Amino acid sequence: MKLTEAKQQFISSWGAFGSQWGINRTMAQIHALLMVSPDPLTQEDVMEQLNVSRGNVNMNMRDLISWGLVDRVLIPGERKEYFSAEKDTWKIATQIIQERKKRELDPMLKLLGQLEKIEGDKKDKNVKQFVDTVSGIRKFGNQAEKMLDMMVKADENWFLSGLMKLFK
Amino acid sequence: MKLTEAKQQFISSWGAFGSQWGINRTMAQIHALLMVSPDPLTQEDVMEQLNVSRGNVNMNMRDLISWGLVDRVLIPGERKEYFSAEKDTWKIATQIIQERKKRELDPMLKLLGQLEKIEGDKKDKNVKQFVDTVSGIRKFGNQAEKMLDMMVKADENWFLSGLMKLFK
DNA sequence: CTGAACTTTCAAAATATATTGAAAGATTAA
DNA sequence: TTAATCTTTCAATATATTTTGAAAGTTCAG
C-alpha cells in the first residue's frame, strides 16, 4: 500500500472510530490528518485534503484546540496561521482522559451524589433499589476517577511496562 | 427530593451521558430505568414510563440484550415477556468494556497493524511521520487492550482496593 | 384449527447534528 | 489610512440518526 492510500484509510477510519465515541467525524479526521502530517498545515490545506468547508474546518479546529490536542503555530514571516497536532500518543490519551473526566464524569458523579440523598423509606424496595444502583455507580465512578488521575500523573513508561508486569 | 423526581433525573441524565459516548439516548434511558427497577418490566411498562413507542422500545431492548446488559425474564403463568437489567455496576462495566473492545478496539488495532506495513522510503519525513503515528497509537492500543482484559478477568474487589493501594 | 395476546419489522416522518458559504470581522503591510 | 489577506460567525441547508406506528409475524390457550 502507498502512503497516499494509507493516509486516506487512516483518516477515514479514525473519523468513523471517533463517531462511535461521540466525536464528530470531521473533527476526528482533522485530528488524524494533523497527526500524520510532519509539518503544520493551514486551514486551506485541511479544506483541500478533506474536502470540507472553511467554516467547518474553523469550528472543529477551535474545538480541537480547546481539547488541547492541536496548537496554533506561527511561522515567522508568514501571514497565515498554521496548525499542528500533538503527536505523542501518551500525551494525546491523557489529554483526552483529563478533558472527558472534567466535562462529563465529574458532573455525573456530582449528580449521583445528590440523588443518593433521596428522602423515603429505606424499606421500600423501590427506594432501596434506586439508592443501591446510584451508589453502586457512584462508587465505581469514584474509583475510576482515581485510577484515571493516576494515569494522567504517571508517565508513559509506567503504563507500557510497570503496570503490566504487576499482573502478567 | 422524592423518589419519582430522582428517578426522572437519573434516567434523563443517564440518557444525556450516554449520548456523549455514542449510545443512543433512548437505549441509555431504558437501561437506566431497568437498573433502578427492583422488578422486571414489560415493553408496555417501559413505553409508558419513558413515553416512547413500542417499536423504539423493542429495538433498543434488543440492542441492550445484545450488549449483555439486559435479560429476558419469563414469569411463570404470564404470557408476556419481562425484562430485567444486571444491577451490579462492576459486571455492567466489564460487560461494556468487553463489548466495545470487541466491536471497536480490536478492528481498529487490526487496521493499524496493516497500515504500518506501508511501502515507501523511510527517509521521507511524510512516510516517517505516518509510520510513527500509526505505530504509536497501535502500541498504546495494545497496552490498553491488555489492561482492559485484566480488568475484565479481575474481580471488583481488586479494582476497589487492590489496584489502588499499589499507587496511593 | 382459530383468534386473542403479544412481538417484531421497517418505511415514512420527525428530530438532531453537521456542514456550507457568504458576509462581517480582524489584522497588518505598505 | 487603505486594501489585501486571513479568520470567524451563523442562518440556511444538507445529512444522519432516531422514532413512530401500523401491518405482518408469532405463539399458544381453548
Side-chain angles (χ1 to χ4, degrees):
Chain A
M1 196 187 298
K2 294 291 229 16
L3 178 62
T4 316
E5 194 197 337
K7 260 193 193 181
Q8 296 292 7
Q9 274 226 30
F10 176 66
I11 290 169
S12 134
S13 308
W14 200 248
F17 191 67
S19 354
Q20 295 183 304
W21 289 84
I23 284 107
N24 105 28
R25 214 183 61 237
T26 303
M27 179 167 150
Q29 289 186 346
I30 296 176
H31 187 219
L33 173 60
L34 289 176
M35 282 194 293
V36 298
S37 300
D39 303 309
L41 302 181
T42 62
Q43 287 200 348
E44 206 81 26
D45 293 332
V46 176
M47 285 168 63
E48 281 166 19
Q49 299 208 41
L50 301 182
N51 272 289
V52 291
S53 72
R54 184 176 305 284
N56 197 1
V57 171
N58 192 277
M59 284 177 134
N60 284 114
M61 199 68 92
R62 162 127 61 102
D63 268 353
L64 283 167
I65 291 170
S66 89
W67 277 85
L69 298 172
V70 167
D71 289 324
R72 285 178 207 276
V73 172
L74 292 179
I75 293 198
E78 289 268 12
R79 181 74 181 277
K80 41 180 180 293
E81 284 184 323
Y82 284 76
F83 298 92
S84 148
E86 169 63 55
K87 307 271 194 319
D88 180 323
T89 307
W90 178 257
K91 283 187 192 152
I92 295 167
T94 52
Q95 192 64 42
I96 292 173
I97 288 171
Q98 222 165 358
E99 286 295 326
R100 290 201 89 140
K101 200 166 79 57
K102 186 171 71 194
R103 298 177 191 208
E104 299 154 27
L105 186 57
D106 289 350
M108 174 54 81
L109 291 177
K110 194 175 163 215
L111 175 70
L112 293 175
Q114 284 163 5
L115 293 181
E116 240 177 304
K117 295 180 306 200
I118 182 191
E119 45 188 88
D121 179 8
K122 294 288 153 47
K123 296 284 167 47
D124 178 344
K125 68 180 175 179
N126 288 286
V127 173
K128 186 163 189 325
Q129 183 60 64
F130 183 82
V131 174
D132 285 355
T133 297
V134 169
S135 80
I137 296 172
R138 197 179 54 77
K139 278 178 194 140
F140 178 82
N142 276 134
Q143 282 307 118
E145 173 131 287
K146 279 189 205 163
M147 188 173 125
L148 295 174
D149 281 343
M150 208 164 71
M151 257 185 86
V152 169
K153 272 189 238 146
D155 72 346
E156 181 171 11
N157 189 55
W158 169 84
F159 183 68
L160 287 178
S161 60
L163 176 59
M164 291 309 131
K165 280 190 200 116
L166 290 166
F167 313 95
K168 47 51 206 80
Chain B
M1 196 188 298
K2 295 291 224 28
L3 178 62
T4 316
E5 194 197 336
K7 262 194 193 182
Q8 296 292 9
Q9 274 226 29
F10 176 65
I11 290 170
S12 133
S13 309
W14 200 247
F17 190 66
S19 357
Q20 295 183 303
W21 289 85
I23 284 107
N24 106 26
R25 214 183 59 236
T26 304
M27 179 167 150
Q29 288 187 346
I30 295 176
H31 187 219
L33 173 60
L34 289 175
M35 282 193 296
V36 297
S37 300
D39 303 309
L41 303 181
T42 62
Q43 288 200 348
E44 207 81 25
D45 294 332
V46 176
M47 285 168 62
E48 280 167 20
Q49 300 209 41
L50 301 183
N51 270 293
V52 290
S53 72
R54 185 177 303 286
N56 198 1
V57 171
N58 192 277
M59 284 176 136
N60 283 114
M61 198 68 92
R62 161 128 58 108
D63 269 353
L64 283 167
I65 291 170
S66 88
W67 278 84
L69 298 171
V70 166
D71 289 325
R72 285 177 207 279
V73 172
L74 292 179
I75 293 199
E78 287 269 15
R79 180 75 180 277
K80 39 181 181 296
E81 286 184 320
Y82 283 78
F83 299 92
S84 149
E86 169 62 55
K87 308 272 194 317
D88 180 322
T89 306
W90 178 257
K91 283 187 192 153
I92 295 167
T94 52
Q95 192 65 42
I96 292 173
I97 288 171
Q98 220 166 0
E99 286 294 326
R100 291 201 91 141
K101 202 167 76 60
K102 185 170 72 191
R103 298 176 191 208
E104 299 154 27
L105 186 57
D106 290 350
M108 174 54 80
L109 292 177
K110 196 176 160 211
L111 175 70
L112 294 176
Q114 285 163 5
L115 294 181
E116 238 177 305
K117 295 180 308 198
I118 183 189
E119 43 188 90
D121 179 9
K122 295 289 152 48
K123 298 285 168 46
D124 177 346
K125 68 180 175 181
N126 289 286
V127 173
K128 186 161 187 329
Q129 184 59 64
F130 183 81
V131 174
D132 285 356
T133 297
V134 169
S135 80
I137 296 172
R138 198 178 56 77
K139 278 179 195 139
F140 178 81
N142 277 134
Q143 282 309 115
E145 171 132 286
K146 279 189 205 163
M147 187 173 126
L148 294 175
D149 281 343
M150 207 164 72
M151 258 185 86
V152 168
K153 272 189 239 149
D155 73 346
E156 183 171 10
N157 187 57
W158 168 84
F159 183 69
L160 286 179
S161 60
L163 176 59
M164 292 307 131
K165 280 191 199 116
L166 290 164
F167 313 96
K168 52 35 199 101

